[in-house]
Amino acid sequence: MPGQFSEEFEITPAMRAWADVKEAHRTGKILTARSIGIETKSIKDSKEEVLKLDFNGVYGYMPKSLVDNYNLRGIQHYLDRELEFVVDKVIIDPNANVGIFLANRAKALEKKAERFWREAQEGQIFNAFVRGVDKYTLFLLVEGVPIELNRSEVGYMYYEDLTEAFEIGDILPVKLSSITRPSEDQKGKITVDSKTLQFDPWTNIVNYQENGIYVGRITKIHPDHGMFVELVDSPGLVVRTNFPPYTGNQIFKKGETIRVRIAKIDAAGRRMKAIAFIPHYSKKRNNDRYGSYGVYGSR
């Protein structure tokens, strides 16, 4: 029957994605997919950890050695990220409408860097990828070009330890301040600025006082270093709090609204200490704006 015939040969989104994968393999076009898992596969007669990718319903695998030419200790931080890649190989399944592919991010970064050096102009804004972090430095990739950013240049907030606030895979918007293109005699060099893209939230610190209790939204939860809470009436003004005693990060959620008590304000040093209250939800007390709260307290 005509209806049955057209249904059998319907082109699905995965089939369209598979056509894009094969075309990208032929042309070298850079694609983007989300990493959804870590598996172990046999790659070139040896077993290797790979990131499993989902490209619009087509699965791909990115070997750890091809995630980055940076010295990777692990690829867990690359999970649940949008990653760019070129297609190294397509594997066709004769019994299915779509196959699988092998992805190469390191090669994609090289191609992006080549284009960056040709086309980039001062004043442009890019999303820098955090490929490494230590206490004092963010190691960034700007369109495939590596650059280091000292903690004093990251933003208006004081960072005693950058590892408390950033992890591999985070994105930081930056503005290209200067560029020296590579030549036969020298390597290329760039400088970037993050602060100029940010509003200085510390101008609002006069609206807060020590021992005051305020409402904030959890913007980041670090299992070892506590929570980063943005005060709701001052976007960008973020305070770090430890987890209350006898609790862990399991009872808190990113994006959740909580209450904090500001213990100390150091306006000159641009530092602030706060204590997070434990939300004890109760049917007796319900606030439509801030959620349902019971007793708040901490030691």
Side-chain angles (χ1 to χ4, degrees), residues 45-116:
D45 300 325
S46 64
K47 289 188 176 181
E48 185 176 354
E49 270 193 328
V50 300
L51 284 170
K52 186 174 184 178
L53 307 178
D54 180 2
F55 180 72
N56 301 323
V58 178
Y59 291 138
Y61 298 94
M62 182 184 294
K64 177 181 176 181
S65 59
L66 300 180
V67 172
D68 197 339
N69 55 17
Y70 191 67
N71 183 24
L72 295 181
R73 287 178 292 179
I75 55 177
Q76 291 80 5
H77 288 292
Y78 288 85
L79 269 178
D80 196 26
R81 307 287 187 185
E82 291 287 340
L83 300 176
E84 293 167 305
F85 62 93
V86 295
V87 179
D88 262 357
K89 184 178 181 181
V90 293
I91 302 174
I92 297 174
D93 183 352
N95 299 315
N97 290 323
V98 301
I100 61 175
F101 62 91
L102 295 183
N104 187 330
R105 180 171 177 266
K107 188 181 294 183
L109 294 176
E110 292 176 2
K111 292 171 71 73
K112 290 186 66 176
E114 291 173 1
R115 184 172 59 196
F116 174 86

Side-chain angles (χ1 to χ4, degrees), residues 272-290:
M272 183 166 41
K273 293 182 179 179
I275 300 169
F277 289 98
I278 304 173
H280 178 69
Y281 299 98
S282 169
K283 294 181 180 179
K284 295 181 181 180
R285 300 182 64 182
N286 187 2
N287 184 296
D288 291 335
R289 181 178 179 185
Y290 300 129

Side-chain angles (χ1 to χ4, degrees), residues 130-159:
V130 178
R131 74 191 314 205
V133 56
D134 63 23
K135 183 176 181 178
Y136 302 102
T137 309
L138 287 181
F139 301 88
L140 304 175
L141 279 176
V142 179
E143 297 297 292
V145 176
I147 188 173
E148 298 179 9
L149 201 64
N150 184 270
R151 66 179 179 181
S152 63
E153 303 171 318
V154 172
Y156 288 102
M157 180 178 175
Y158 174 79
Y159 296 100

Side-chain angles (χ1 to χ4, degrees), residues 196-215:
T196 57
L197 302 179
Q198 305 173 25
F199 168 76
D200 185 0
W202 277 88
T203 58
N204 291 333
I205 197 62
V206 294
N207 298 321
Y208 301 91
Q209 63 181 24
E210 293 180 355
N211 294 317
I213 300 175
Y214 303 96
V215 179

Side-chain angles (χ1 to χ4, degrees), residues 243-255:
F243 297 115
Y246 312 112
T247 71
N249 60 344
Q250 295 85 359
I251 68 171
F252 298 98
K253 295 181 180 179
K254 182 178 178 180

